[in-house]
Amino acid sequence: MSQPPARLAGYAVFAAMLASAGLPIYIHAPKFFVDEYGVGLTALAAVLFGLRLFDVVQDPALGWLAQTTRNRRAVAVTAATLLLGLSMIGLFAITPPVAPLWWFGLTLTGLFSAFSFLTICFYAQGVQTAAALGRKGHLRLAAWRESGALLGVCLASVAPTVLIFTGAPFAAFAIAFAGLCLVAIMMMRGEWHPTPLASRGGFRRVLADPIARRLLLIALVNAAPVAVSSTLFLFFVESALDAPGWEGPLLLLFFLAAAGSAPVWSRVAQKIGARKALLMAMVAAILSFSTVLALGPGDTILFAVICVISGATLGADLTLLPAIFARRMATVAPEAGAAFGLWSFVSKFTLAFAAVTLLPALDAAGFIAGADNTPAALSLLTYLYALVPCVLKLVAIGLLAATPLPEDEPRS
């Protein structure tokens, strides 16, 4: 059964909105509060990690809420989307009416809560929609959804640089994001249908499946390299490469390469199987990103080449792994709300864990953003940015290679 491209485009736009509120916030928000309000790196890291501890309780509750509102899904999603847009405006466009650190925590609580709820609803609905797309429905929907997500990351990552002419680029970005929220609501109208009622023990049922457990572990380990590099990207370009002003163009190169490669990886996966395609991309990621260790001040062009190659491998991570998990959930937990509550937590936890370990380490080494730093501090920054992700990716490769996925075999 075919799904009109115009309707699938709604999934791409909604994914772009969610992606704009996810990874880019970890790239921009800490540095924004350091530069604008002088908040310390360690304090920001503590808040980010505290919010993830809150998610341990919140995400299961949001999964339950998604099921409770299953018959009023459109209303619940609209309310959460409006909260998402207002929280972004509060974070970047409003001068903190209280202590900046408290305002950082308050606005991010609203933003991440809405983000989590919308992610759960969106991916759960995607499981149902993919069932109507035929045998390769999960890969086809993933190509639209994750391409949209990657384009959203591209736009959100480069927007503060592009909007510099406004005099308040982050405020302009927040207002534009709120507009995107309204567009996403309109394009997904009519798509929010009741999902199957969850049976008892939704989380237990997902975690009782050994393949589902392994996929969640792979997602955790495989997301960690992106979390590490995203947390440190702006600091690395500004200080280790000595290329201030290049942050926006380099981010754009990286995420455009990821977005452009996503449909390609989807087609490759349909021919050779999702796991084989993903393993190819993960090996290529290590081979390309490990060369960052040899870079130094002035090597901006070489780093740009690495951004293109490693970005192309990220397209496989963000397209194929969610499709593999969604396909498994279609068998294990068709209602999918609990499953993607876990998936959402895993994705966010890696970003927070990276922040709470890396930023204090740089702080302790005497690293100061935008200032002259000691060779020891710059070396630590480089090793944390480049070596740690490669080691984590090796672990993810081992886990994926050892995971049995009988449904992954390509069919003629």
Side-chain angles (χ1 to χ4, degrees):
M1 182 176 179
S2 178
Q3 185 86 343
R7 294 184 66 188
L8 286 176
Y11 285 84
V13 172
F14 202 90
M17 176 199 72
L18 285 176
S20 298
L23 185 60
I25 300 310
Y26 281 88
I27 295 175
H28 293 309
K31 196 168 191 304
F32 175 77
F33 271 74
V34 168
D35 293 343
E36 292 292 318
Y37 307 116
V39 180
L41 290 175
T42 300
L44 291 173
V47 171
L48 289 171
F49 192 68
L51 288 174
R52 293 292 72 82
L53 292 180
F54 176 59
D55 281 340
V56 172
V57 176
Q58 177 180 247
D59 278 1
L62 291 176
W64 170 84
L65 181 62
Q67 282 297 313
T68 301
T69 59
R70 56 187 291 276
N71 292 320
R72 301 180 299 279
R73 183 61 55 80
V75 174
V77 166
T78 298
T81 305
L82 293 176
L83 174 60
L84 188 73
L86 290 173
S87 298
M88 189 72 78
I89 289 175
L91 181 66
F92 287 126
I94 295 178
T95 302
V98 295
L101 187 63
W102 283 102
W103 188 245
F104 180 78
L106 180 63
T107 53
L108 280 185
T109 297
L111 194 149
F112 288 153
S113 297
F115 175 86
S116 295
F117 179 75
L118 292 171
T119 299
I120 292 167
C121 293
F122 183 56
Y123 278 84
Q125 188 62 58
V127 171
Q128 306 305 312
T129 300
L133 298 179
R135 180 168 56 84
K136 297 179 179 178
H138 288 290
L139 287 173
R140 186 179 172 201
L141 178 61
W144 280 86
R145 182 181 59 209
E146 308 310 332
S147 293
L150 288 165
L151 286 173
V153 170
C154 289
L155 293 174
S157 298
V158 76
T161 301
V162 173
L163 295 171
I164 195 72
F165 70 91
T166 65
F170 285 95
F173 161 71
I175 294 170
F177 175 81
L180 177 61
C181 289
L182 297 177
V183 173
I185 290 173
M186 293 298 297
M187 292 194 67
M188 281 292 287
R189 68 187 186 279
E191 290 298 316
W192 303 108
H193 308 295
T195 53
L197 183 63
S199 57
R200 289 183 176 272
F203 284 103
R204 289 192 299 272
R205 191 150 50 89
V206 173
L207 294 175
D209 180 65
I211 294 179
R213 289 199 307 269
R214 183 64 70 86
L215 289 174
L216 285 168
L217 178 60
I218 293 169
L220 177 69
V221 177
N222 194 52
V226 178
V228 170
S229 58
S230 299
T231 301
L232 299 180
F233 181 88
L234 297 181
F235 301 111
F236 179 81
V237 173
E238 181 182 56
S239 298
L241 284 185
D242 193 22
W246 278 88
E247 298 92 343
L250 289 170
L251 275 174
L252 184 61
L253 271 179
F254 178 76
F255 287 118
L256 279 179
S261 71
V264 177
W265 287 115
S266 181
R267 288 193 293 271
V268 171
Q270 292 180 48
K271 292 183 178 297
I272 68 172
R275 178 169 56 180
K276 290 180 181 177
L278 187 54
L279 285 170
M280 287 172 52
M282 293 164 78
V283 171
I286 293 176
L287 293 176
S288 63
F289 207 67
S290 62
T291 59
V292 172
L293 292 167
L295 301 184
D299 290 331
T300 309
I301 300 302
L302 291 175
F303 184 66
V305 174
I306 295 170
C307 284
V308 172
I309 299 172
S310 59
T313 66
L314 178 66
D317 286 349
L318 299 184
T319 301
L320 302 183
L321 197 52
I324 292 171
F325 186 71
R327 184 165 54 192
R328 186 64 183 174
M329 290 307 98
T331 301
V332 175
E335 71 281 353
F340 282 103
L342 291 170
W343 189 265
S344 174
F345 171 74
V346 163
S347 301
K348 291 185 300 179
F349 181 81
T350 57
L351 287 163
F353 189 75
V356 81
T357 54
L358 302 174
L359 296 181
L362 287 177
D363 218 4
F367 177 82
I368 301 174
D372 290 332
N373 286 281
T374 65
L378 293 177
S379 293
L380 178 62
L381 173 61
T382 300
Y383 282 118
L384 290 177
Y385 177 73
L387 182 60
V388 171
C390 291
V391 173
L392 291 168
K393 185 69 77 171
L394 276 173
V395 176
I397 288 174
L399 288 171
L400 181 59
T403 300
L405 294 175
E407 69 270 38
D408 182 56
E409 296 304 318
R411 302 175 187 176
S412 56

